[in-house]
Amino acid sequence: MKMLGAVLTMLVLGGCSKQATPARDTGVDGADAPSFDVRVDVRADASDDADGSTGPDGPVQIETTSGPVGGEREDGRSVFLGIPYAQPPVGERRWAPPADLIWTTPFDATSFGSRCPQPNIAFTSLVGDEDCLTLNVWGYDEGANKPVMVWFHGGSFLQGSATEKTYHGQDLTLHDVVVVTANYRLGALGFLAHPSLPGRNFGLQDQLAVLDWVSANARALGGDPGNVTVFGESAGGIAACLMVAGGHGEGRFDRAISQSGPCTGLLPLPDVAAAEAQGDALAAAVSCDQAADVVACLRGLPQNDIVDALGFRLGVIFGDGAAWVPVRDDVLVPIDVEVALATAATPMLMGSNADEGSLAIIAANQGIIEIDYTTATEQMFGTRADVIRAQYPRAGYPDDVEAVAAILGDRFVCGTRRVARLRANAGHAVWLYHFTHSFVTPIGDLGAVHGSELPFVFGTELTLVKLRDDEIPLSELMQRYWSRFAVTGDPNGGADVAWPPYSTAGDSHIVLDTEPSTAGQLRTSTCDFWDGVDDA
């Protein structure tokens, strides 16, 4: 049971271990890795016909701008796995912009590529390989012109991969969309900033390279390059929001979905000076700070020396260790994200879960982390900690963990509402949801915990827990909403509960549960409090 809790915690948020420096595991998929993260062979059982042709199922090949790609058709739906979208970011290409990769012989896209270097789920070892810039495609139909949905995973910009079973796109493609999932560089390898480095935010650059590759190859994938939706959860949702704020949609995507990923009011994004100070600390930690060429020294080190040089911070928001997150550099990420959000017209669908903060309770109960109320609030809020503690007095909760969980939960919900209000006040289309369905696992009812909407969006499973029969209608409903939004920018249609566009007057939103409904006043007084904190 402890491992299940660890999987859930690390899968959707990321965290820190009591062990500051994990033991080394140089394998791509270490022994401690979850079973659904290993390379998966999806070859169809059907064999080629004697004349080399194929029936409804079997091998299928497409031509991309990178070269020919061979995948498999299963149950009438084609799957291409592990397609490289850029050159491996190794050697001189470590901390360099993603570069095009070309091949001439057919690329075998029938198994997943490696995850990017990262700590494993329990932070006891390091797994992954730098040669990880790959993407996966579900739903190809020759000659089709389907909307394309491009997914970026969560994991605090530190963990996760597009190989995870939760993100497999077969079920979502039944709603007549092409689904693309992709890896991007994580941790220090993706978000190091240093005065000697010409550039930063390499993980975000990878994501934009994915979108460029999709745009160039949408027709070959059976998709419409003029109808692309970027979507993601947690860190992936924050990335989608930042892409909108940065104005990066032109020629790349038309709409954005952010699940539990508000890009303001939750995650502190450093400016260049703060990020480079952390980069200096990393260089010193690996004895490269006095080198004649600091970058060459860093590029010459084994990947694991870089990955865990400064330890890891729980959920990025509080805890000891480094936080490798996007940097506000006014190149890819605006200095003032909120101002930028008010000017970017890209339609957005976004939301949060009712019990986001219970993830901290799970992690503490499983012995993965220790949470002290006073320390955590000081780390999260600095000089504003007293204001937060007055709103969330320790005496009002059973223990330190419950108090911090309440703060985190409201921070997710209210940060999401804040972005929705910024967008709506500027006259831009935004659709807000609140997911309230409880996620029941072998370790108990976790409520609508962070990440628990994922199996409903993809129709898959989370930490080996599959949807129950009575939950399938909610999954199908959410897939209809998500795919309709991808088609038109409006989730509504058919006989489904009408989803009102968000308005600041009443906080109009949809409540997603087995009995969906519309509502207003989303934690209004609490979120008004947080708006005041963020405005101060």
Side-chain angles (χ1 to χ4, degrees):
M1 296 303 182
K2 182 173 182 178
M3 183 55 68
L4 178 64
V7 171
L8 179 62
T9 303
M10 303 309 174
L11 172 63
V12 295
L13 181 61
C16 69
S17 168
K18 296 177 184 177
Q19 181 180 347
T21 303
R24 298 311 171 92
D25 179 351
T26 57
V28 170
D29 294 291
D32 292 327
S35 60
F36 51 80
D37 254 348
V38 300
R39 293 174 66 86
V40 178
D41 189 339
V42 296
R43 292 177 177 85
D45 293 331
S47 59
D48 290 356
D49 294 334
D51 62 359
S53 63
T54 60
D57 288 358
V60 59
Q61 184 168 305
I62 58 174
E63 292 293 329
T64 74
T65 55
S66 300
V69 176
E72 290 285 343
R73 183 180 292 109
E74 295 183 340
D75 299 326
R77 289 170 287 165
S78 295
V79 181
F80 301 89
L81 302 178
I83 303 173
Y85 64 85
Q87 295 181 28
V90 299
E92 292 299 312
R93 297 223 56 79
R94 181 186 282 176
W95 300 305
D100 291 342
L101 181 64
I102 304 295
W103 56 85
T104 56
T105 58
F107 181 85
D108 180 7
T110 57
S111 60
F112 286 113
S114 171
R115 75 190 77 179
C116 292
Q118 60 190 271
N120 75 342
I121 55 174
F123 282 70
T124 55
S125 64
L126 300 177
V127 295
D129 188 274
E130 282 187 273
D131 185 359
C132 63
L133 300 186
T134 62
L135 55 82
N136 316 294
V137 180
W138 283 271
Y140 160 78
D141 284 327
E142 185 176 2
N145 194 39
K146 300 178 181 180
V148 183
M149 301 182 71
V150 182
W151 172 262
F152 295 113
H153 65 79
S156 296
F157 298 102
L158 181 65
Q159 291 180 303
S161 85
T163 70
E164 290 163 2
K165 193 169 184 178
T166 301
Y167 310 140
H168 290 193
Q170 296 99 318
D171 205 62
L172 187 54
T173 64
L174 293 176
H175 297 270
D176 214 29
V177 295
V178 175
V179 176
V180 178
T181 68
N183 288 343
Y184 54 95
R185 280 174 282 184
L186 302 168
L189 292 170
F191 295 94
L192 176 73
H194 190 275
S196 299
L197 267 179
R200 58 190 73 85
N201 287 324
F202 300 102
L204 296 185
Q205 291 187 49
D206 293 342
Q207 293 176 347
L208 294 179
V210 169
L211 292 166
D212 288 337
W213 192 94
V214 168
S215 179
N217 292 285
R219 296 293 185 201
L221 304 177
D224 179 0
N227 196 351
V228 177
T229 295
V230 61
F231 69 135
E233 183 267 347
S234 195
I238 291 171
C241 185
L242 291 177
M243 288 181 202
V244 172
H248 301 302
E250 185 66 31
R252 292 189 176 106
F253 64 91
D254 306 275
R255 286 167 280 281
I257 299 174
S258 176
Q259 301 168 208
S260 300
C263 59
T264 182
L266 173 69
L267 182 68
L269 301 180
D271 59 18
V272 173
E276 289 186 344
Q278 183 169 271
D280 282 331
L282 184 144
V286 295
S287 301
C288 283
D289 54 321
Q290 301 302 314
D293 188 332
V294 175
V295 174
C297 179
L298 290 171
R299 284 175 172 159
L301 293 174
Q303 63 179 38
N304 287 351
D305 287 0
I306 300 296
V307 172
D308 70 354
L310 296 181
F312 308 105
R313 184 181 301 175
L314 170 66
V316 184
I317 301 170
F318 67 92
D320 297 325
W324 301 107
V325 297
V327 181
R328 293 182 294 111
D329 61 356
D330 231 10
V331 177
L332 287 183
V333 180
I335 297 295
D336 193 324
V337 174
E338 293 194 356
V339 169
L341 280 170
T343 60
T346 305
M348 294 188 70
L349 183 154
M350 61 192 312
S352 55
N353 297 352
D355 302 290
E356 301 270 8
S358 63
L359 198 65
I361 301 173
I362 299 165
N365 288 346
Q366 296 298 308
I368 299 168
I369 60 172
E370 295 177 355
I371 294 178
D372 176 81
Y373 170 78
T374 301
T375 301
T377 51
E378 288 176 351
Q379 289 174 330
M380 283 190 282
F381 305 107
T383 58
R384 300 179 297 173
D386 287 343
V387 175
I388 307 306
R389 288 194 285 258
Q391 180 74 9
Y392 295 85
R394 168 62 185 82
Y397 300 90
D399 53 38
D400 286 14
V401 176
E402 294 273 3
V404 172
I407 295 171
L408 284 175
D410 286 341
R411 200 71 170 128
F412 270 101
V413 173
C414 297
T416 302
R417 192 197 79 148
R418 183 174 179 85
V419 174
R421 293 175 78 82
L422 285 168
R423 306 280 298 154
N425 281 334
H428 303 313
V430 60
W431 309 84
L432 184 67
Y433 73 83
H434 193 53
F435 184 84
T436 61
H437 182 68
S438 291
F439 186 62
V440 180
T441 77
I443 61 173
D445 185 343
L446 305 181
V449 66
H450 184 70
S452 59
E453 87 288 357
L454 289 169
F456 292 87
V457 171
F458 284 93
T460 52
E461 61 188 49
L462 182 63
T463 62
L464 309 183
V465 180
K466 296 183 178 180
L467 297 178
R468 304 188 309 266
D469 288 346
D470 64 308
E471 293 176 321
I472 291 175
L474 175 58
S475 175
E476 292 175 341
L477 171 68
M478 292 176 64
Q479 289 182 344
R480 289 194 297 272
Y481 282 143
W482 264 236
S483 59
R484 286 194 199 112
F485 179 78
V487 174
T488 67
D490 186 332
N492 288 295
D496 294 331
V497 173
W499 185 339
Y502 180 78
S503 67
T504 57
D507 283 343
S508 50
H509 63 280
I510 195 165
V511 178
L512 295 174
D513 209 324
T514 50
E515 295 294 334
S517 61
T518 58
Q521 306 304 315
L522 181 57
R523 300 188 187 178
T524 301
S525 61
T526 298
C527 291
D528 287 348
F529 162 78
W530 282 109
D531 282 345
V533 170
D534 291 328
D535 288 338

